[in-house]
Amino acid sequence: MLDKNGIAKRIAKEVKDGYYVNLGIGIPTLVANFVRDDISVEFQSENGVLGMGPFPFAGEEDADIINAGKQTITTLPGASFFDSATSFGMIRGKHVDLTILGAMEVAENGDIANWKIPGKMVKGMGGAMDLVASAENIIVAMMHTNRAGASKLLKQCSLPLTGVGCVKKVVTNLAVLEVTGEGFELVERAPGVSVAQIEEVTEGTLVINGEIPEMEL
Amino acid sequence: MLDKNGIAKRIAKEVKDGYYVNLGIGIPTLVANFVRDDISVEFQSENGVLGMGPFPFAGEEDADIINAGKQTITTLPGASFFDSATSFGMIRGKHVDLTILGAMEVAENGDIANWKIPGKMVKGMGGAMDLVASAENIIVAMMHTNRAGASKLLKQCSLPLTGVGCVKKVVTNLAVLEVTGEGFELVERAPGVSVAQIEEVTEGTLVINGEIPEMEL
Amino acid sequence: MIRKKVDNVQEALEGIQSGMTLMLGGFGLCGIPENAISELVRLGVEDLTCISNNAGVDDFGLGLLLQKHQVKKMISSYVGENDEFERQMLSGELDVELTPQGTLAEKCRAAQAGFPAFFTPAGYGTEVAEGKEIREFNGKMYVLEEAFAADFSFVKAWKGDEAGNLIFKGTARNFNPCMCGAAKITVAEVEELVPAGQLDPNEIHIPGIFVQRIFQGTNYEKRIEQRTVRERL
Amino acid sequence: MIRKKVDNVQEALEGIQSGMTLMLGGFGLCGIPENAISELVRLGVEDLTCISNNAGVDDFGLGLLLQKHQVKKMISSYVGENDEFERQMLSGELDVELTPQGTLAEKCRAAQAGFPAFFTPAGYGTEVAEGKEIREFNGKMYVLEEAFAADFSFVKAWKGDEAGNLIFKGTARNFNPCMCGAAKITVAEVEELVPAGQLDPNEIHIPGIFVQRIFQGTNYEKRIEQRTVRERL
């Protein structure tokens, strides 16, 4: 079973040379730490920066340079700043190659919900609705179950949607799954996790074709 | 009767303190020469400059700094450069206070034609269609008649339109006219020009209320 | 040069009234018009509709206006990190219109640039699209969104000149440029106000034509919401 | 940093074919991609559809492509100052789609930013609006215009870096930024190409994400169309 860093490490393998990548708040932010350093990648943050670098050293924080999670950041050579309309022009115009974000629920048809629990909690969609409606390559990073132990991979989302039919791949603490026309196709198991364990906590249709390899990290 | 500079001089009186002004090619460009220097005005050129100054001295021309008439220009303190989408954002968003442009024909309902003579001549509309569709304050600068001696102030335009019902005022070599619901209301006569002379070359409805003063330049 | 400089925040906010719709720049606490917000609190204007990506934190930024119940309605994309905002929203005290962030930015830009409406894919198939026109272009579904209409726009820039030209710094740029010229009156506060002619015309982010009033701001706190650092090895 | 630098104009135009739709920046002869145009002439590709505000003059800029009859269709706002263009258009040899200048710019920007269509007042009531959807918003009439779709976009900038970031100079900016990222492949030629990190991230007009290939241009003529000067008193 993976922890949050493990999920991030596995997703980092999906980041290819030449990709512009948008990382959501939470687990996705950790992905940057695990991308191979022999490939060229630029991270975009929708509040208006391309070419994000690591967090600053203590004492070097600049209140005017943050990421979409409101964390202080640095920039790398080749970086640029721009306004919010231009930033979402990049996203909507499909110039960003890969979007990685968290979710509360994912449905087997690719629907995603991650911004609201009616009557209880409303964080707002932030940039997520623009991202999922625009990106062609969307990976969800999340735990396989919620705090109550219920599956987050469902036949249908029960919460208000963020986007429809958009998720292509899900990486959880237990597995890597691809969203196909038939449901969640199990592609890889987390180290030490059995297919039966994954079946038990996957409410949506789970498609299992042949032997499922354990993921390599 | 006025010459081109005279028309420009009369129109310059319509330019008020604090106005952003867009000047079309031809007579309108001359208006800048006659604006009172005790008022603050900025000239916008739709190819991407605000705060245009006079033409450069010989030897100081810069190929990268031109106006919409492709003439070399200079800029004044407070000037800015921007792209074409932003430029027309200024125009469409009604941030430009006054637009002065030429015309082949103006109709008594405010329609204007200035970009095409079917089968004979096509210059293109350039920025004129955006300007006339957006601006709330449009003055046409033109000769009262065409080269053949025919009136350019008509009941209806015969040429393909640039915009509908948009012209508010027309200044010609003979007169100043306002476009009202009733037609062209004669407001001022050019020096030495009689009402009868104006009537003779105005094909559209000419509204004459009381004594018409001669213009002061 | 058309002079936009006013002497202070009081003069800059002249004409502001209860019941108005305001745009406020900033992302989280980054690039917010701190001086204008303080003055809105001091003036005590009420029943405001505020268009702003976030609503600050409990005790800073727009959170100050929420605390004093001066806000009737918020139009934002993200509520997180503000307990009082979430509480007022869930209790129904505050009317909240949640809007996708890119749509929020473009509804500002549409108002600035004279577009009444545009089609965007964001929110298709979600409750955000309810009651809105949906149309297919090239096999993809889009939602028709309309431009905002606001009375005042408050933005914060790094440098500005007396002609109203603005330059922003880093990610403090965010929504600020999109909101310039998007309301009837745009008020810009800047960290450094210089005479016209001192900014390079080539480096200006927002031309002065989009700004009606500009003033030199004071006492910027520039609070950091999530101070995050790495270890020196 | 994602490297966009290519060694020369030949490499930059790899994949160009007859029948393609091209965007070309510039206003008159100001800010045109001189190197790319020369190479298009040399390659002799034909049946091109060119989106460009103007079509150069008879013997320079896009006029060179017109002379050699490489262009099947022009999408422009202004034809004046080019006799060969006007002749080919009036004779029917050349298909011309005249588009209001602001609409032309926004159809590029819409393609760049993923908007399929937008409403603009320009052209309402004229032949430009024929066959297009008309709609009223707040008592004013608007025309629905769609985003362009192009194969290559050729732009000219002043400075650029190896990451594809661009800075334009003066009014040579014009349509160039709007066309970046508005075609499948954007090719930028610059007067000065520097390593990544040498341009201030705050001063970049177009981020490198909108550019696929960048090269150092050569032998810029930068011809002036209407040299206009005033007398020294």
Side-chain angles (χ1 to χ4, degrees):
Chain A
M1 202 190 299
L2 303 175
D3 61 4
K4 287 182 179 182
N5 275 308
I7 296 174
K9 199 168 174 187
R10 174 59 190 84
I11 290 178
K13 290 174 67 181
E14 306 288 323
V15 179
K16 310 290 183 212
D17 189 40
Y19 269 17
Y20 291 98
V21 183
N22 180 290
L23 301 176
I25 299 172
I27 301 175
T29 302
L30 302 172
V31 173
N33 301 331
F34 300 104
V35 173
R36 282 164 46 190
D37 55 13
D38 62 339
I39 62 173
S40 297
V41 172
E42 285 188 35
F43 293 103
Q44 194 252 19
S45 198
E46 65 267 25
N47 59 316
V49 55
L50 193 67
M52 258 192 297
F55 297 123
F57 292 119
E60 295 179 3
E61 314 90 313
D62 184 338
D64 290 328
I65 302 184
I66 64 168
N67 66 15
K70 283 96 174 181
Q71 296 170 307
T72 41
I73 56 159
T74 61
T75 57
L76 296 173
S80 55
F81 297 114
F82 36 85
D83 65 53
S84 300
T86 303
S87 183
F88 282 91
M90 290 176 191
I91 290 165
R92 210 184 298 100
K94 299 185 190 299
H95 305 286
V96 174
D97 300 290
L98 175 61
T99 291
I100 303 168
L101 79 173
M104 298 173 187
E105 296 179 349
V106 176
E108 62 186 54
N109 67 349
D111 288 359
I112 176 174
N114 73 350
W115 69 286
K116 184 179 183 179
I117 303 175
K120 275 195 186 162
M121 188 280 294
V122 185
K123 291 153 72 96
M125 66 291 282
M129 281 194 183
D130 306 88
L131 282 158
V132 301
S134 308
E136 305 209 314
N137 195 359
I138 298 171
I139 300 178
V140 166
M142 66 178 190
M143 304 312 269
H144 212 96
T145 54
N146 63 22
R147 284 178 200 169
S151 179
K152 294 171 74 173
L153 291 103
L154 308 172
K155 287 200 192 310
Q156 275 200 316
C157 290
S158 66
L159 297 172
L161 296 182
T162 307
V164 295
C166 51
V167 177
K168 298 286 180 291
K169 192 174 275 192
V170 182
V171 179
T172 74
N173 50 330
L174 303 182
V176 177
L177 308 104
E178 279 176 11
V179 177
T180 66
E182 281 74 46
F184 295 109
E185 181 167 346
L186 184 58
V187 179
E188 295 174 21
R189 296 171 292 112
V193 174
S194 70
V195 169
Q197 281 175 292
I198 296 164
E199 280 183 306
E200 202 184 310
V201 290
T202 305
E203 193 254 6
T205 307
L206 191 67
V207 178
I208 302 165
N209 287 321
E211 200 66 28
I212 308 301
E214 204 173 272
M215 56 179 84
E216 286 171 38
L217 292 167
Chain B
M1 202 189 301
L2 303 174
D3 60 5
K4 288 181 178 182
N5 274 307
I7 296 173
K9 199 168 174 188
R10 173 59 190 82
I11 291 178
K13 291 175 67 180
E14 306 287 323
V15 179
K16 310 288 185 214
D17 189 40
Y19 269 18
Y20 291 98
V21 183
N22 180 290
L23 302 176
I25 298 171
I27 301 174
T29 302
L30 302 172
V31 172
N33 301 331
F34 300 105
V35 173
R36 282 165 46 190
D37 55 13
D38 61 339
I39 62 173
S40 297
V41 172
E42 284 187 35
F43 292 103
Q44 194 252 19
S45 198
E46 66 267 26
N47 59 316
V49 55
L50 192 68
M52 256 192 299
F55 297 123
F57 292 118
E60 294 178 2
E61 313 91 313
D62 183 339
D64 290 327
I65 303 183
I66 65 169
N67 66 15
K70 283 95 174 180
Q71 295 171 305
T72 42
I73 55 159
T74 61
T75 57
L76 297 173
S80 56
F81 297 114
F82 36 84
D83 65 54
S84 299
T86 303
S87 183
F88 282 91
M90 290 177 190
I91 289 166
R92 209 183 300 100
K94 299 184 189 301
H95 305 287
V96 174
D97 301 290
L98 176 61
T99 291
I100 303 167
L101 78 173
M104 298 173 187
E105 295 179 350
V106 176
E108 62 186 56
N109 66 349
D111 288 359
I112 177 173
N114 72 351
W115 69 285
K116 184 178 183 180
I117 303 173
K120 273 194 186 162
M121 187 282 293
V122 184
K123 291 154 73 96
M125 66 292 283
M129 281 195 183
D130 306 270
L131 282 159
V132 301
S134 308
E136 305 208 314
N137 195 358
I138 298 171
I139 300 178
V140 166
M142 65 177 191
M143 305 310 271
H144 212 96
T145 55
N146 63 22
R147 285 178 198 169
S151 179
K152 295 171 73 173
L153 293 102
L154 307 173
K155 287 200 192 311
Q156 275 199 318
C157 290
S158 66
L159 297 173
L161 296 182
T162 307
V164 294
C166 51
V167 176
K168 299 285 179 289
K169 192 175 275 193
V170 183
V171 179
T172 74
N173 52 329
L174 303 182
V176 177
L177 309 103
E178 279 175 10
V179 177
T180 66
E182 280 75 46
F184 295 108
E185 181 166 345
L186 184 59
V187 179
E188 296 173 20
R189 296 171 293 113
V193 174
S194 70
V195 170
Q197 281 175 292
I198 296 165
E199 280 183 306
E200 201 183 309
V201 289
T202 305
E203 194 253 5
T205 308
L206 191 67
V207 179
I208 300 164
N209 287 320
E211 200 66 29
I212 308 300
E214 204 172 273
M215 55 178 86
E216 286 172 36
L217 291 168
Chain C
M1 193 266 291
I2 302 173
R3 195 179 154 84
K4 305 295 174 67
K5 187 188 168 191
V6 296
D7 286 336
N8 50 47
V9 69
Q10 286 77 28
E11 203 180 322
L13 266 72
E14 222 165 73
I16 201 100
Q17 286 173 13
S18 291
M20 280 187 165
T21 297
L22 316 182
M23 289 180 170
L24 298 109
F27 183 95
L29 300 179
C30 185
I32 57 172
E34 296 186 17
N35 284 218
I37 292 171
S38 298
E39 180 65 8
L40 287 168
V41 171
R42 196 189 67 81
L43 288 170
V45 284
E46 293 179 323
D47 290 324
L48 300 173
T49 295
C50 294
I51 299 166
S52 175
N53 188 58
N54 313 77
V57 292
D58 287 333
D59 64 342
F60 199 58
L62 276 184
L64 299 170
L65 285 174
L66 290 174
Q67 267 187 2
K68 292 187 67 186
H69 294 84
Q70 292 178 260
V71 183
K72 180 182 66 179
K73 180 177 182 178
M74 283 295 314
I75 300 175
S76 304
S77 87
Y78 196 74
V79 185
E81 287 98 51
N82 187 327
D83 295 337
E84 177 64 12
F85 186 3
E86 198 167 345
R87 190 196 64 70
Q88 288 189 21
M89 175 172 56
L90 291 173
S91 72
E93 286 166 62
L94 182 69
D95 185 9
V96 178
E97 187 176 314
L98 285 165
T99 303
Q101 195 173 140
T103 301
L104 190 78
E106 197 64 19
K107 282 166 75 87
C108 294
R109 196 242 170 198
Q112 173 193 76
F115 294 108
F118 58 91
F119 286 98
T120 175
Y124 167 69
T126 76
E127 62 182 59
V128 162
E130 279 168 25
K132 293 175 186 164
E133 179 180 331
I134 306 296
R135 193 183 298 196
E136 186 177 332
F137 290 94
N138 305 315
K140 192 174 160 91
M141 306 305 282
Y142 295 85
V143 184
L144 185 68
E145 294 279 0
E146 298 197 1
F148 282 129
D151 298 295
F152 273 84
S153 177
F154 296 107
V155 304
K156 154 82 193 321
W158 179 36
K159 293 182 188 172
D161 70 16
E162 297 184 350
N165 293 305
L166 302 177
I167 296 177
F168 303 90
K169 186 183 149 213
T171 57
R173 192 181 317 188
N174 58 64
F175 284 84
N176 286 297
C178 316
M179 289 177 172
C180 290
K184 284 175 201 149
I185 294 176
T186 295
V187 175
E189 57 185 83
V190 297
E191 291 180 52
E192 190 187 347
L193 185 58
V194 302
Q198 296 208 356
L199 302 179
D200 182 337
N202 220 34
E203 293 178 2
I204 285 163
H205 293 143
I206 280 291
I209 193 172
F210 293 119
V211 174
Q212 278 67 52
R213 304 173 190 171
I214 188 168
F215 70 98
Q216 167 83 56
T218 55
N219 299 317
Y220 283 104
E221 185 173 336
K222 297 218 248 180
R223 201 187 286 187
I224 292 176
E225 222 167 318
Q226 303 284 342
R227 187 177 306 271
T228 313
V229 297
R230 69 182 142 141
E231 296 294 310
R232 277 181 205 273
L233 296 178
Chain D
M1 191 265 292
I2 301 173
R3 194 178 155 85
K4 305 294 175 68
K5 188 189 167 192
V6 296
D7 286 336
N8 50 48
V9 68
Q10 287 78 26
E11 203 180 323
L13 266 70
E14 223 164 73
I16 200 100
Q17 287 174 11
S18 292
M20 281 187 165
T21 296
L22 316 181
M23 290 181 169
L24 298 109
F27 183 96
L29 300 179
C30 184
I32 59 173
E34 295 186 18
N35 285 217
I37 292 171
S38 298
E39 180 64 8
L40 287 168
V41 171
R42 196 189 68 80
L43 288 170
V45 285
E46 293 179 323
D47 290 324
L48 300 173
T49 295
C50 294
I51 299 166
S52 174
N53 188 58
N54 313 78
V57 294
D58 287 333
D59 63 344
F60 199 59
L62 277 183
L64 299 171
L65 285 174
L66 290 174
Q67 267 187 3
K68 292 188 66 187
H69 294 84
Q70 293 178 259
V71 182
K72 180 182 65 180
K73 180 177 182 179
M74 283 295 314
I75 300 176
S76 304
S77 88
Y78 196 74
V79 186
E81 287 98 51
N82 187 328
D83 295 337
E84 177 64 11
F85 186 1
E86 196 167 347
R87 191 197 63 71
Q88 288 189 21
M89 176 173 56
L90 292 172
S91 72
E93 286 166 61
L94 182 69
D95 185 10
V96 179
E97 187 176 314
L98 285 165
T99 303
Q101 195 172 142
T103 301
L104 190 78
E106 197 64 19
K107 282 165 75 85
C108 294
R109 194 242 172 200
Q112 173 193 75
F115 295 108
F118 57 90
F119 286 98
T120 176
Y124 168 69
T126 76
E127 62 182 59
V128 162
E130 278 168 24
K132 292 174 187 163
E133 179 181 331
I134 306 296
R135 194 183 298 195
E136 186 177 332
F137 290 94
N138 305 314
K140 191 174 160 90
M141 306 305 283
Y142 294 85
V143 184
L144 185 69
E145 294 280 0
E146 298 197 2
F148 282 128
D151 298 296
F152 273 84
S153 178
F154 296 108
V155 304
K156 155 81 193 323
W158 180 35
K159 293 182 187 173
D161 69 17
E162 296 184 351
N165 293 303
L166 303 178
I167 296 176
F168 303 89
K169 187 183 148 213
T171 57
R173 194 181 315 188
N174 57 64
F175 285 84
N176 286 298
C178 317
M179 289 177 172
C180 290
K184 285 175 201 148
I185 295 175
T186 296
V187 175
E189 57 185 83
V190 298
E191 291 180 53
E192 190 187 347
L193 185 58
V194 301
Q198 296 208 358
L199 301 180
D200 182 337
N202 220 35
E203 292 178 4
I204 285 163
H205 293 144
I206 280 290
I209 194 172
F210 294 119
V211 174
Q212 277 67 53
R213 303 174 191 170
I214 190 168
F215 70 98
Q216 166 84 57
T218 55
N219 300 317
Y220 284 104
E221 184 173 338
K222 297 219 249 179
R223 200 186 287 186
I224 293 175
E225 222 167 317
Q226 303 284 340
R227 188 177 304 271
T228 312
V229 297
R230 68 182 143 142
E231 296 294 309
R232 279 183 202 271
L233 295 179

